[in-house]
Amino acid sequence: MLLLDGNATSAAIRTEIAEEVSKLKSQGKKVPHLAAILVGEDGASQTYVNAKVKACENVGFESTLVRMPAETSEEELLSTIKGLNENPNIDGFIVQLPLPKHIDEDKVTLAVAPQKDVDGFHPENVGRMSLGLPTFLPATPNGVMEMLGRYNIETVGKNCVVIGRSNIVGTPMAILMSRGTNPGNATVTLTHSRTKNLKEITLQADIIIVALGKPNFLTGEMVKQGAVVVDVGIHRIEDASKKSGFRLVGDVEFETVAPKCAAISPVPGGVGPMTIASLLQNTLKAVTMRK
Ligand code: NAP
């Protein structure tokens, strides 16, 4: 069984990006600048945003973290976004989700200028992705594609089952895997909470990409021998034996699934680090696309 090591793969990508940044610097050019807006104090969101800012610093990008209190109004947030859209110093930015309930996430997504939308969530960028035009690909699905590509996982003509159809993971994942690219060119089944007989479907799959947000959901009996499994899920589970009081698990029951797999991504250390590497790739792309 091959472990799809997201830490090692993302480190390789980050080294490549750092080399590009050094080149830009030595040519006296501006280095990429990523901004992140964090509204509220959600613990997981703070961890994710801090990891993104740190990753920027490590590759030589400039970064700006805009912290806004939980009671920030929608109007105030939209005005901050407008400021970043118009700031020539900022190449790309993200608004960390989820947002407090009183803010309409759709309005926020639409407010981000498509050419600075390094999360790839704006409808214009989603449309471009669907048509196979150059754009920012959403970070998590693109991270999975990079992982499959760099490990030379064969996807052409394979049966791929995606579990979960969210706008940020499952749906773009299914689009990317079905495009005529490599990785890609798979025959994709996109499943969701209304899917009947999921086990029968997953048992046919050569590749299963799991993104439904339920800890340890995919078990060994749902997977055929020799399958490739990518676990996008991430959950904190209470664990008194850990200093932190919790441990991280994915949507896949690793202990029962891994022994059946040709390859599998772990949690932690799988898709999570790939998502951050993708965001850095998009920010670098933002600079090139602007030129
Ligand atoms: P989400 O928006 O909650 O979507 C979950 C999807 O799973 C929905 O489409 C839902 O179907 C489907 N679903 C729920 N129960 C199901 C079932 N029993 N069988 C089949 N499908 C089912 O979640 P998300 O934002 O895509 O995130 C999914 C997971 O990935 C979460 O654990 C999240 O934390 C993690 N995540 C990780 C990263 C990373 O960087 N590693 C990035 C993003 C998300 P319906 O559409 O019918 O409701």
Side-chain angles (χ1 to χ4, degrees), residues 170-183:
T171 294
M173 196 70 254
I175 292 171
L176 293 177
M177 284 298 279
S178 58
R179 281 197 326 191
T181 52
N182 189 16

Side-chain angles (χ1 to χ4, degrees), residues 105-218:
E105 283 189 2
D106 288 342
K107 263 195 202 166
V108 168
T109 303
L110 280 165
V112 176
Q115 64 277 17
K116 293 195 177 185
D117 168 41
V118 286
D119 258 338
F121 293 165
H122 191 283
E124 184 175 319
N125 288 325
V126 177
R128 293 181 69 88
M129 172 191 65
S130 307
L131 297 173
L133 296 170
T135 188
F136 299 115
L137 299 175
T140 302
N142 188 45
V144 173
M145 297 301 279
E146 282 278 349
M147 179 183 255
L148 296 174
R150 287 176 186 246
Y151 275 98
N152 292 314
I153 301 291
E154 217 176 289
T155 61
V156 179
K158 299 289 181 189
N159 274 341
C160 172
V161 172
V162 178
I163 308 181
R165 60 174 163 188
S166 73
N167 289 340
I168 60 165
V169 189
T171 294
M173 196 70 254
I175 292 171
L176 293 177
M177 284 298 279
S178 58
R179 281 197 326 191
T181 52
N182 189 16
N185 266 317
T187 305
V188 179
T189 306
L190 180 57
T191 67
H192 44 78
S193 67
R194 308 293 176 92
T195 298
K196 294 202 167 70
N197 306 325
L198 183 64
K199 185 179 162 191
E200 279 170 31
I201 298 169
T202 54
L203 278 171
Q204 302 293 318
D206 303 305
I207 301 167
I208 311 177
I209 301 172
V210 196
L212 79 160
K214 296 207 160 112
N216 297 319
F217 177 84
L218 188 84

Side-chain angles (χ1 to χ4, degrees), residues 37-59:
I37 302 178
L38 176 62
V39 186
E41 319 266 285
D42 178 70
S45 292
Q46 294 203 36
T47 310
Y48 294 142
V49 164
N50 287 339
K52 289 168 187 175
V53 168
K54 199 164 162 234
C56 281
E57 286 163 6
N58 288 343
V59 295

